Amino acid sequence: MTLAYQTLERTWDVIVAGGGTAGAMAGIAAARAGASVLIVEAQGSLGGTGTNAWVTPLMRNVSGGQNLNRGLTDELKRRLHSRGDGATDPHGNDNWFNPEGLKFVLEQMLLEAGGEVLYHTHVVKPLMAGGEGQTAANHDQQTTTHIQALIVHNKGGLQSLRASTFIDATGDADVAALAGVPFHAGDEDGLHQAMSLRFTLAGVDAPRLMAFLQEHGQAQENPAFLHFWMVWGRKSSLEPLFRQAVQGSVLLERDGDYFQAFSVPGRPGELSFNCPRIRADLNDGADPWQLSAAQTDGRAAIERLTAFCRQFLPGCEAAFVGVVAPMVGVRETRRIVGEYTLSVEDILDCRKFPDSICRNHYPVDIHSVKGGAKLLHERDGEAAYFARDAYHELPFRCLVPQGVGNLLVPGRAASSTFEAQSSIRVQQNCHTMGEAAGIAAAWAAKNHAGNVRAVDVSALQAEMRRLGGLV
Ligand SMILES: Cc1cc2nc3c(=O)[nH]c(=O)nc-3n(C[C@H](O)[C@H](O)[C@H](O)COP(=O)(O)OP(=O)(O)OC[C@H]3O[C@@H](n4cnc5c(N)ncnc54)[C@H](O)[C@@H]3O)c2cc1C
């Protein structure tokens, strides 16, 4: 199908599709590396899942007591902390943050670096060099095709935006898939990890709630850093309350499949919930109908969970819904086939790579729609990965899609198996992947006519180290 669109006169060195967790960092890094940068973002703010899906806090990615994601992540934390939107708990965990504050910080970092953003704009499809029929599918690993422009849709209608290098940070590999890059999606049965619609409850009396949680076997140290949870069959002390609530028709059975809440810095008396989990048959976040139905399903569950908290958790009697995340939280959809595909064996064996751009020690963490949450692999205990100071590396090749020469794909859609993706997908790794992709894309645009395979990866590693990174 040929689309009628308007071609903008302007052209950029780098266009980033999706200004989310990885994309915002990619845009900032590319702009700091001297490129002209445009981020095209569907929502009205940067940060993606970390802001608009309200996913907080950052999961810890630590080895031997040291944070593995540094560079831009460190700067982000410093900025969040300095404005009261980030905090370090009594255990030294500096990953607590306020998603609304993160929106401001990311936007400031991008604009200060000279980058631009076009909000409320959806990427529709890439325009390939050589015309409609030219996609990655026509090419083998030795030859590649190029993206010339992205067709986007916004209040101005359809427009085409040109650049030398593109970064697909949509999380769903929207650009890569439409460019013909091969991809995998879901597990061996094609089922994806569960989606969640996150929300907050405000008006919580945190000290009272803390006292109650402590009496009920969920240790807490400070009302500013509450964390409590319940998953059926996982020995949570809150399980009897959930059972009572199900028997009293306050909750449905499936509301106890995953329940978890955290405090939020800068928002006293407010809790962020890592739930409700969306109905199991709605698990494909790249299917617009399922995504829409997930919003409806999640909102109904939020009503039930709010009623539960008010009725069963002292300190929550007067609580009210503060935020329902504008974006459904999507854990996994398409994963590109890149020049290297990270496997769970790479993770468990702590594999190191000559083109490493990121270190990871976050566990395999599958929120399966087949039931329960799988946090660790069955090789738990034997594998090198479970040593306290262990980590594996993520190669740059995981961001390089097969068949397209001027595209990088950082974030949760990077090239990995279903199990491996569940480990590398946490936000701080997405930051680091974004940072690497941004610098590489800028260099590719400036020096190699957009060709990301021509980038000197040892120079990229040296640059990331100079900027504080551990690679
Ligand atoms: C419910 C849930 C709980 C989680 N819990 C944690 C946690 O506690 N801690 C943690 O560290 N990680 C957690 N994760 C994982 C982590 O948050 C995500 O894997 C990560 O944020 C994904 O980053 P990304 O950049 O790949 O995608 P995103 O951050 O989702 O960014 C994608 C961006 O692209 C935009 N976009 C998409 N399609 C288009 C398009 N066609 N055109 C224009 N823009 C587009 C989106 O609006 C979005 O801004 C969780 C994830 C979920 C879903």
Side-chain angles (χ1 to χ4, degrees):
M1 181 183 58
T2 310
L3 295 172
Y5 54 84
Q6 174 206 356
T7 301
L8 256 64
E9 281 300 309
R10 290 187 63 192
T11 176
W12 286 266
D13 293 325
V14 178
I15 290 183
V16 183
T21 316
M25 292 305 219
I28 293 162
R32 287 187 182 177
S36 59
V37 174
L38 177 70
I39 296 182
V40 177
E41 168 53 45
Q43 303 278 328
S45 46
L46 296 174
T49 297
T51 57
N52 289 311
W54 252 82
V55 170
T56 183
L58 306 171
M59 279 295 105
R60 296 193 84 185
N61 181 25
V62 173
S63 176
Q66 179 172 219
N67 287 338
L68 292 178
N69 306 96
R70 309 297 290 273
L72 275 180
T73 304
D74 270 350
E75 180 180 339
L76 196 69
K77 288 180 186 173
R78 272 198 307 277
R79 287 188 180 229
L80 285 165
H81 284 225
S82 72
R83 48 183 288 143
D85 286 319
T88 302
D89 69 20
H91 299 287
N93 177 358
D94 59 0
N95 292 318
W96 300 79
F97 76 95
N98 172 9
E100 290 301 320
L102 180 57
K103 291 178 181 174
F104 288 88
V105 170
L106 288 172
E107 194 173 87
Q108 285 160 7
M109 285 169 75
L110 178 73
L111 299 183
E112 282 168 16
E116 295 176 76
V117 59
L118 184 62
Y119 286 131
H120 305 298
T121 300
H122 262 94
V123 173
V124 177
K125 64 178 279 194
L127 281 180
M128 308 306 291
E132 290 276 334
Q134 288 300 315
T135 67
N138 309 128
H139 296 259
D140 57 31
Q141 270 185 278
Q142 270 67 51
T143 62
T144 57
T145 183
H146 270 59
I147 298 174
Q148 279 185 331
L150 295 181
I151 298 184
V152 301
H153 182 257
N154 53 26
K155 292 292 280 182
L158 291 169
Q159 296 171 332
S160 101
L161 307 175
R162 290 172 298 163
S164 294
T165 319
F166 296 86
I167 296 176
D168 180 349
T170 60
D172 302 314
D174 285 358
V175 176
L178 288 163
V181 173
F183 61 85
H184 298 293
D187 65 7
E188 65 280 5
D189 300 318
L191 291 171
H192 302 274
Q193 288 200 52
M195 297 194 272
S196 302
L197 182 63
R198 297 199 45 161
F199 72 106
T200 73
L201 281 185
V204 173
D205 181 339
R208 261 189 80 217
L209 177 60
M210 174 170 152
F212 169 80
L213 291 167
Q214 278 178 313
E215 277 167 31
H216 284 76
Q218 299 236 350
Q220 310 291 326
E221 282 192 18
N222 186 320
F225 297 102
L226 298 181
H227 170 217
F228 53 100
W229 62 277
M230 201 305 287
V231 178
W232 294 127
R234 297 261 304 269
K235 299 195 172 76
S236 165
S237 54
L238 298 180
E239 186 163 329
L241 292 186
F242 271 74
R243 184 52 60 210
Q244 218 182 314
V246 172
Q247 281 160 358
S249 302
V250 177
L251 292 178
L252 299 180
E253 182 78 16
R254 71 180 174 92
D255 294 327
D257 287 348
Y258 201 91
F259 173 88
Q260 189 178 32
F262 298 92
S263 296
V264 189
R267 298 173 79 103
E270 192 161 2
L271 296 169
S272 166
F273 289 77
N274 189 17
C275 50
R277 188 176 270 192
I278 302 303
R279 233 173 57 205
D281 59 309
L282 303 172
N283 60 74
D284 187 355
D287 174 333
W289 296 95
Q290 291 196 32
L291 202 54
S292 180
Q295 199 90 39
T296 314
D297 182 67
R299 217 185 300 276
I302 288 169
E303 294 262 62
R304 297 193 295 275
L305 290 168
T306 303
F308 165 77
C309 291
R310 284 187 184 144
Q311 206 174 319
F312 287 87
L313 300 181
C316 294
E317 295 87 344
F320 55 92
V321 174
V323 177
V324 175
M327 262 172 70
V328 176
V330 178
R331 291 184 169 86
E332 180 269 343
T333 56
R334 301 185 195 104
R335 309 178 312 273
I336 60 153
V337 177
E339 297 295 357
Y340 187 85
T341 298
L342 194 83
S343 69
V344 77
E345 287 74 25
D346 293 331
I347 294 177
L348 293 167
D349 296 342
C350 293
R351 184 114 189 254
K352 308 294 189 291
F353 297 92
D355 60 335
S356 163
I357 45 98
C358 180
R359 294 180 183 177
N360 177 43
H361 194 212
Y362 185 74
V364 172
D365 178 8
I366 299 171
H367 290 244
S368 172
V369 292
K370 295 169 180 166
K374 183 174 169 188
L375 267 172
L376 298 174
H377 195 260
E378 57 266 18
R379 284 172 66 184
D380 182 8
E382 292 165 27
Y385 191 73
F386 297 100
R388 196 178 159 272
D389 58 353
Y391 65 86
H392 74 90
E393 293 179 337
L394 184 70
F396 180 67
R397 282 165 293 159
C398 290
L399 315 187
V400 180
Q402 287 187 5
V404 180
N406 61 341
L407 180 66
L408 289 168
V409 185
R412 66 174 167 83
S415 183
S416 50
T417 64
F418 180 73
E419 279 187 319
Q421 190 269 2
S422 77
S423 168
I424 61 170
R425 69 189 169 92
V426 288
Q427 288 182 45
Q428 300 193 75
N429 287 332
C430 292
H431 295 160
T432 306
M433 285 189 254
E435 185 172 359
I439 299 168
W443 289 0
K446 290 277 180 202
N447 309 320
H448 307 291
N451 180 7
V452 298
R453 285 166 178 76
V455 169
D456 176 350
V457 179
S458 53
L460 171 64
Q461 293 168 320
E463 179 65 358
M464 290 183 78
R465 272 184 223 113
R466 189 185 71 78
L467 296 170
L470 284 180
V471 290

